[in-house]
Amino acid sequence: MTQEIVDIIIIGGGPVGLFTAFYAGLRQASVKIIETLPQLGGQPGMLYPEKMVYDIPAFPEITAGDLIENLKKQLERFPETQFCLEEEALELNKTDFGYELVTSKQTHYAKTVIIACGNGAFRPRKLDVENAEAYENSNLHYFVTNLERFRDRTVAICGGGDSAVDWALALEPIAKKVTIVHRRPQFRAQEHSVKQLEESSVEILTPYLPDQIIGDGETIQSVVLKHAKGEDQIELPVDDFIVNYGFSSSIGGMKNWGFEVARNTIVTNSQMETTLPGVFAVGDIATYDGKVKIIATGFGEAPVAINAAMTYVNPNSRPSTIHSSSMF
């Protein structure tokens, strides 16, 4: 074996995965984080970075984006932590030294594995319009991660849920013009948000749906909208086209890895151990009697899983309670 074997592979780079990696650093463990998305932060970082989070201890309120940035800054104390982005975990195989994790790009090796992938790998439901894929790396967007990139631009948003309405409201004071397009007359978002939308300068087009993209093969120049119940069409000039039709999430092939699964979550005991020796789960992906699915719960589960993992790596070591105030 010439490949590197780390102490812990953490599957998932969301808030709980990042804090799990930090606590592993306190225990001086070598760590790799495997993340399917192109950036760290998980769903909070990708889907609603501008939304306020209120249930993080010691923060009366904090945006999801700032929470992720703080967690990343916290983890900078351990620069040896490795990040493997845009890799989907596909297979987990037991070995003499621990586990072999096969991803969509390569194979990793670790003594233990901690699964912190939230609700599982998630993907946007994409726009079903001819040639849409050609613009995905240009001005067709399925995520809003940086509002400033839309400053002084003409933006159209497709969708009727909370994310679409929230993005429209957040972009209103930044973009030159914002239009929201929904295939139904009523929005599914929270009533308060819909009222704000109706009172804003955002142009509302309902019930319409995108029928055609007009562009030069590199950049979308306009979108042709078709009335959902008729033949009326509108050609809408855009600088950016944002589509939010929701997201699908699944633990996918993990169901076949051999641990006990219940309702798309992984069953653990009080030490966050799964039914596979040396494999643990924390955060929303983990379930047990009395589980409360909030970020703060996952933060509390992280030290438990790390200490159990380190004992698994070295059965002769005593479980250690690390106090960071004594270390730094």
Side-chain angles (χ1 to χ4, degrees):
M1 173 68 65
T2 58
Q3 295 92 336
E4 178 189 17
I5 304 172
V6 296
D7 292 322
I8 302 170
I9 281 177
I10 297 172
I11 301 176
V16 174
L18 291 172
F19 185 69
T20 303
F22 169 75
Y23 201 85
L26 295 183
R27 292 297 312 270
Q28 298 185 311
S30 55
V31 176
K32 274 186 181 180
I33 292 180
I34 311 296
E35 171 56 58
T36 59
L37 297 174
Q39 66 183 49
L40 296 171
Q43 294 191 30
M46 289 293 283
L47 298 188
Y48 49 91
E50 303 296 326
K51 287 184 75 71
M52 285 293 179
V53 181
Y54 300 100
D55 54 5
I56 304 300
F59 286 97
E61 61 180 37
I62 185 171
T63 66
D66 285 343
L67 174 63
I68 298 303
E69 289 304 311
N70 286 352
L71 287 162
K72 288 160 63 177
K73 184 177 180 181
Q74 185 180 38
L75 190 50
E76 287 175 3
R77 289 186 179 274
F78 306 108
E80 63 277 10
T81 303
Q82 300 178 56
F83 306 102
C84 303
L85 304 178
E86 295 186 273
E87 291 192 35
E88 182 178 357
L90 301 176
E91 297 178 19
L92 186 66
N93 303 309
K94 189 77 174 73
T95 66
D96 292 339
F97 56 80
Y99 284 93
E100 171 190 82
L101 178 69
V102 180
T103 75
S104 52
K105 288 186 176 180
Q106 56 187 311
T107 300
H108 304 273
Y109 304 92
K111 298 174 184 176
T112 62
V113 175
I114 298 178
I115 303 171
C117 60
N119 294 315
F122 74 104
R123 298 175 180 83
R125 295 189 174 95
K126 295 191 175 184
L127 180 65
D128 186 19
V129 172
E130 187 177 0
N131 297 326
E133 287 186 3
Y135 300 99
E136 288 182 2
N137 294 320
S138 178
N139 58 341
L140 171 60
H141 313 278
Y142 293 106
F143 303 99
V144 175
T145 58
N146 180 6
L147 294 175
E148 280 299 317
R149 72 178 297 173
F150 302 101
R151 182 168 291 280
D152 299 325
R153 294 174 68 83
T154 300
V155 181
I157 301 172
C158 264
D162 285 310
S163 292
V165 172
D166 287 346
W167 288 344
L169 292 171
L171 287 168
E172 180 198 13
I174 295 172
K176 179 180 179 181
K177 179 183 178 182
V178 178
T179 301
I180 189 167
V181 180
H182 186 38
R183 62 180 179 173
R184 294 189 177 93
Q186 293 83 27
F187 289 90
R188 304 186 313 276
Q190 293 179 352
E191 290 87 346
H192 177 69
S193 297
V194 174
K195 182 179 179 182
Q196 285 184 295
L197 181 71
E198 292 170 344
E199 295 173 351
S200 74
S201 64
V202 174
E203 180 183 24
I204 301 173
L205 294 179
T206 61
Y208 283 90
L209 63 161
D211 185 61
Q212 183 182 353
I213 287 176
I214 298 175
D216 57 10
E218 295 183 359
T219 304
I220 298 173
Q221 296 160 348
S222 63
V223 179
V224 177
L225 307 175
K226 181 181 178 181
H227 196 280
K229 297 182 179 180
E231 298 300 321
D232 293 346
Q233 290 188 334
I234 298 173
E235 183 174 343
L236 190 67
V238 297
D239 295 320
D240 290 283
F241 189 38
I242 302 170
V243 175
N244 180 246
Y245 287 161
F247 299 83
S248 61
S249 63
S250 171
I251 66 173
M254 288 185 187
K255 292 178 179 179
N256 304 317
W257 287 5
F259 39 61
E260 184 180 354
V261 175
R263 296 185 179 180
N264 220 40
T265 56
I266 300 168
V267 177
T268 72
N269 62 16
S270 61
Q271 297 299 302
M272 310 315 301
E273 297 171 304
T274 72
T275 49
L276 286 181
V279 179
F280 306 83
V282 295
D284 285 355
I285 194 66
T287 189
Y288 47 81
D289 288 345
K291 172 68 178 258
V292 178
K293 284 193 173 186
I294 59 174
I295 294 174
T297 300
F299 288 163
E301 293 166 350
V304 177
I306 291 297
N307 286 336
M310 295 307 291
T311 299
Y312 181 85
V313 170
N314 183 4
N316 295 322
S317 69
R318 294 173 55 194
S320 176
T321 301
I322 299 294
H323 299 281
S324 58
S325 56
S326 301
M327 293 182 64
F328 303 124

